[in-house]
Amino acid sequence: MLLDAGFTFDSQRYLVPEHVDGERIDHWCDARRLDVRARLELFLQVCSAVAYAHANLIDHRDLRPSNILVLQDGSATLLDFGIAKLLEDDVETVTQMTAETGNAMTPGYAAPEQVNGGAITTATDVYALGVILFGLLGGVSPYGQDSLTPWQLARAVLEIEPKRLSDRAGGNIEPIATARSSTPERLRRNLRGDLDTIVARALKKNPAERYAGVRALADDVRRHLAHLPIAARADTTIYRARKFLRRHWIGAAAVCATTLAVAAGFAASIWQAQRAEHEAARAIAVKHFLVEFFDATRNNYTGIKIRQQTVADLLANGADRLKTELRDQPDVRDEIYTMLVEIFDASGDQDRSIELARARVRAAEEAYGAQDVRVASSLTLLAGVFINHDMDAQAAPLLARSETLLDNAKDYESLERARLWLWQGVHEFHTLKPRRFEGSPLLRAVELSRRRYPNEDELEIALNVYIILAGETGHLPEAEQAADEQRSRAIARSPDNIYVAYADMNLASVLLKEHKYDQALTRAQEARRGMAKFEGEQHPDILMAEASIINALNGLGRKDEAREHFARFNAQRLHEQPDNKRLAAHFAKLAEKLQ
């Protein structure tokens, strides 16, 4: 807020702004060891403030961390519009302002057009935001050194291409690494891909090549947080498929799995990329290979033959080739095996998912040795596949062996440890009678995931099972709290996605147990809407949602509506899902209640 303005006795201009008691944004983030997601969410607040200024025809022109303070409540405040200019100023006014104030800018955050005296536009602030985002995530300047003189910085801005965010040298990455992952190298992997691309586009030297505005930059950051394709990256079929897999791998419907299978099958079938020495090179190799494959399917006879194959054929061919290929790239082979296992498992192909999960274990043992901790992930995945197909007896020794490998490596904080505890908890849920809540490995999985891996899918899965376990063991407050958390996390991805529907379904189940029928009915109806949208009216989850709606209607005393729903959807169940034991049990209980 501007409190006063005017001229001093010696004709000097002055401004009196409101005092803001806050801490500069980069210091705030580092002091609190914020993870990548938290830094991006705070950055989005800054983007909103700058976009508001732009909407009111004002360019800031001097965006930098010291001009962005974070208050005690975690809200960001944008300061110092002292050199801001109206976007519709005429040329004469701008020329006069420049003559009076000089080349007003902070060299480390100035865009090339500011350095060389070019036109100042909204793209100038987009560039500065790119530099700020680079510093928040990378800890250093895009040009690699914080010790450059202003003249050297200005020259670098004009002549040197910025480093990639994930390749930056040095930098204060430890606070983020500690909060977000086990090692700085894992942090670098998290910055590769979309975040590299977003920052690189914001830092384009030609203003016309940057984002069209701050809102476009912010939209891409939001899409990245929601695991959606970003606008700055070429919107290829491969890219969209991989992003889809990231969002839906735990429970995609058959159609979704088929879509993903095409991309993964291609990756496994005709891998022709150069060797990957590290994780970054591996990701680049996968991308290049997939692009080359689609070019082949479009342009030559071999491609015609590939297009004529069924999805099952493509996956089978890819799996067969993995037996003999990529032996010198075990990490790449392991990743492709994992994708194939998850796709077959999600699509309900029990035999193929188990076969491939076993092949992944053998390949890992061959590459690393049977006692190497890197084998643990393949053992846990195979155990998870067995559990998914009600083969818990086969899962138990695999989980025990995976735990031994992690214990021997003194690995108690990794994402792989969280996965192990998750599947140990699910295994207990299936086999332990009576079920226990305190002491369940599932609770440790949730706690570790919340603390170290809050943005990984493993937390979503763990919360899903945790809610059921808490509800069935009488810990209803814990179940409702976890269901609310799951729903909030799902909405944070994006307000409308299948995870929100799952969360609504879980929350409805807990509310029914608590006899909160009004709230349960609302959540069940929202769950049904989301499931119909993302899975289709024929999916069995629709019937599970209807079962909750019927329960809620019955609890509210709306017996006729409940019976009408029951008659219609029980007939649908008998027609479409006659062998689904879970649904049969639910509807049998409903029939008893309605009598």
Side-chain angles (χ1 to χ4, degrees):
M1 179 183 296
L2 185 64
L3 301 179
D4 192 16
F7 292 88
T8 65
F9 291 113
D10 55 355
S11 299
Q12 295 293 317
R13 293 179 176 178
Y14 71 86
L15 299 173
V16 183
E18 177 187 14
H19 172 70
V20 177
D21 185 13
E23 186 176 357
R24 55 183 281 170
I25 187 169
D26 50 350
H27 293 173
W28 168 276
C29 291
D30 289 344
R32 288 153 185 80
R33 309 182 85 84
L34 297 189
D35 63 15
V36 172
R37 172 174 283 271
R39 291 171 191 246
L40 290 174
E41 290 171 347
L42 191 58
F43 177 76
L44 287 174
Q45 292 187 37
V46 179
C47 289
S48 295
V50 178
Y52 180 82
H54 287 181
N56 287 276
L57 305 180
I58 297 174
D59 239 343
H60 191 284
R61 297 208 303 171
D62 193 28
L63 293 170
R64 48 192 163 92
S66 58
N67 275 344
I68 305 166
L69 300 187
V70 184
L71 308 184
Q72 289 302 313
D73 63 359
S75 60
T77 300
L78 186 58
L79 307 179
D80 194 359
F81 281 83
I83 65 169
K85 87 173 188 71
L86 294 176
L87 300 179
E88 293 184 345
D89 280 345
D90 56 42
V91 174
E92 182 180 351
T93 304
V94 175
T95 303
Q96 181 181 356
M97 179 182 288
T98 303
E100 290 179 359
T101 64
N103 195 13
M105 61 181 179
T106 301
Y109 298 86
E113 61 268 24
Q114 284 180 288
V115 174
N116 62 19
I120 305 300
T121 67
T122 56
T124 304
D125 283 348
V126 169
Y127 183 92
L129 287 170
V131 180
I132 291 169
L133 182 57
F134 196 110
L136 287 178
L137 300 182
V140 293
S141 161
Y143 300 100
Q145 299 181 36
D146 291 331
S147 59
L148 298 178
T149 66
W151 181 86
Q152 290 171 324
L153 269 175
R155 183 172 180 179
V157 167
L158 291 174
E159 299 177 1
I160 299 175
E161 286 299 320
K163 291 178 177 289
R164 284 199 319 169
L165 175 61
S166 59
D167 288 345
R168 75 241 180 274
N172 187 20
I173 63 174
E174 290 300 333
I176 315 178
T178 302
R180 176 65 181 86
S181 55
S182 56
T183 65
E185 177 55 34
R186 179 173 175 83
L187 169 63
R188 293 187 179 95
R189 293 200 300 272
N190 290 336
L191 298 181
R192 291 178 187 128
D194 284 352
L195 290 176
D196 268 336
T197 304
I198 290 170
V199 171
R201 181 164 180 180
L203 294 178
K204 289 290 186 182
K205 296 193 181 302
N206 182 353
E209 296 178 2
R210 295 175 205 150
Y211 283 99
V214 175
R215 292 189 187 281
L217 167 61
D219 284 345
D220 257 3
V221 173
R222 291 189 185 96
R223 293 181 71 79
H224 166 75
L225 289 174
H227 305 299
L228 295 169
I230 62 171
R233 187 183 287 261
D235 192 20
T236 62
T237 301
I238 294 303
Y239 176 63
R240 283 184 281 111
R242 290 181 68 84
K243 297 302 284 186
F244 190 91
L245 177 61
R246 171 71 175 135
R247 298 195 304 279
H248 297 294
W249 75 271
I250 61 171
V255 172
C256 299
T258 300
T259 303
L260 299 175
V262 173
F266 290 163
S269 298
I270 51 173
W271 178 271
Q272 294 175 349
Q274 56 186 320
R275 292 187 62 181
E277 296 179 357
H278 302 290
E279 292 289 338
R282 181 177 69 184
I284 292 170
V286 170
K287 180 187 72 174
H288 284 301
F289 162 71
L290 293 172
V291 171
E292 289 170 5
F293 173 76
F294 276 102
D295 284 341
T297 63
R298 185 176 64 245
N299 295 328
N300 60 39
Y301 174 69
T302 302
I304 294 172
K305 290 169 61 179
I306 291 171
R307 290 197 300 273
Q308 291 173 342
Q309 294 185 47
T310 66
V311 171
D313 290 336
L314 285 170
L315 291 170
N317 291 344
D320 288 340
R321 294 189 63 170
L322 283 178
K323 296 175 183 178
T324 56
E325 297 185 12
L326 299 174
R327 290 181 178 275
D328 57 345
Q329 297 172 280
D331 290 349
V332 174
R333 182 172 60 175
D334 190 70
E335 181 176 345
I336 296 173
Y337 262 130
T338 303
M339 292 173 65
L340 289 171
V341 170
E342 290 171 351
I343 290 166
F344 275 115
D345 197 37
S347 63
D349 191 330
Q350 173 179 323
D351 293 339
R352 189 62 63 85
S353 59
I354 291 174
E355 175 189 345
L356 285 172
R358 282 175 166 155
R360 184 193 174 203
V361 173
R362 290 192 297 269
E365 290 175 337
E366 174 189 301
Y368 308 123
Q371 302 307 313
D372 193 291
V373 70
R374 286 172 288 184
V375 177
S377 62
S378 64
L379 295 169
T380 302
L381 179 63
L382 177 56
V385 172
F386 279 134
I387 292 170
N388 281 341
H389 296 287
D390 298 321
M391 302 168 70
D392 291 271
Q394 289 92 323
L398 295 166
L399 294 172
R401 186 179 162 202
S402 179
E403 183 174 33
T404 298
L405 293 178
L406 291 169
D407 287 349
N408 290 343
K410 301 189 184 318
D411 179 342
Y412 302 104
E413 293 284 302
S414 70
L415 183 59
E416 194 51 53
R417 176 66 75 168
R419 290 191 184 111
L420 173 66
W421 281 337
L422 164 62
W423 285 113
Q424 285 178 327
V426 177
H427 180 261
E428 271 198 8
F429 183 83
H430 285 181
T431 60
L432 191 64
K433 304 295 182 193
R435 291 171 178 146
R436 61 170 177 164
F437 183 71
E438 286 83 3
S440 170
L442 191 62
L443 274 65
R444 297 197 294 273
V446 170
E447 189 279 329
L448 176 57
S449 296
R450 279 175 176 157
R451 177 165 49 86
R452 297 290 300 274
Y453 310 105
N455 304 317
E456 297 288 348
D457 286 335
E458 278 70 18
L459 179 54
E460 301 287 342
I461 306 168
L463 282 173
N464 198 64
V465 186
Y466 175 97
I467 294 163
I468 300 171
L469 176 63
E472 295 203 1
T473 54
H475 293 78
L476 296 181
E478 292 92 336
E480 184 173 353
Q481 181 180 356
D484 284 329
E485 176 186 355
Q486 184 188 34
R487 189 169 189 275
S488 297
R489 290 181 179 278
I491 292 173
R493 292 186 176 213
S494 69
D496 193 23
N497 65 70
I498 188 61
Y499 288 112
V500 178
Y502 291 151
D504 278 331
M505 189 66 193
N506 281 336
L507 187 52
S509 298
V510 177
L511 292 168
L512 284 171
K513 286 185 171 66
E514 295 177 321
H515 307 296
K516 299 176 181 178
Y517 298 115
D518 276 328
Q519 298 174 54
L521 179 60
T522 299
R523 294 276 64 85
Q525 289 171 334
E526 284 299 304
R528 191 202 187 288
R529 182 198 64 79
M531 290 170 179
K533 178 177 180 179
F534 292 102
E535 298 181 322
E537 288 285 350
Q538 308 308 312
H539 197 278
D541 283 349
I542 293 291
L543 295 170
M544 291 297 295
E546 282 294 341
S548 293
I549 290 172
I550 294 166
N551 261 319
L553 290 172
N554 188 55
L556 289 169
R558 295 157 62 176
K559 305 289 186 179
D560 290 341
E561 289 180 72
R563 292 190 181 99
E564 179 186 346
H565 272 263
F566 179 84
R568 177 153 40 107
F569 289 100
N570 191 45
Q572 180 179 330
R573 176 189 69 82
L574 293 171
H575 176 68
E576 297 174 359
Q577 302 286 332
D579 300 322
N580 191 317
K581 295 179 180 179
R582 181 180 63 152
L583 283 172
H586 272 281
F587 276 79
K589 290 180 181 178
L590 283 173
E592 292 178 8
K593 290 183 179 180
L594 294 175
Q595 288 175 356

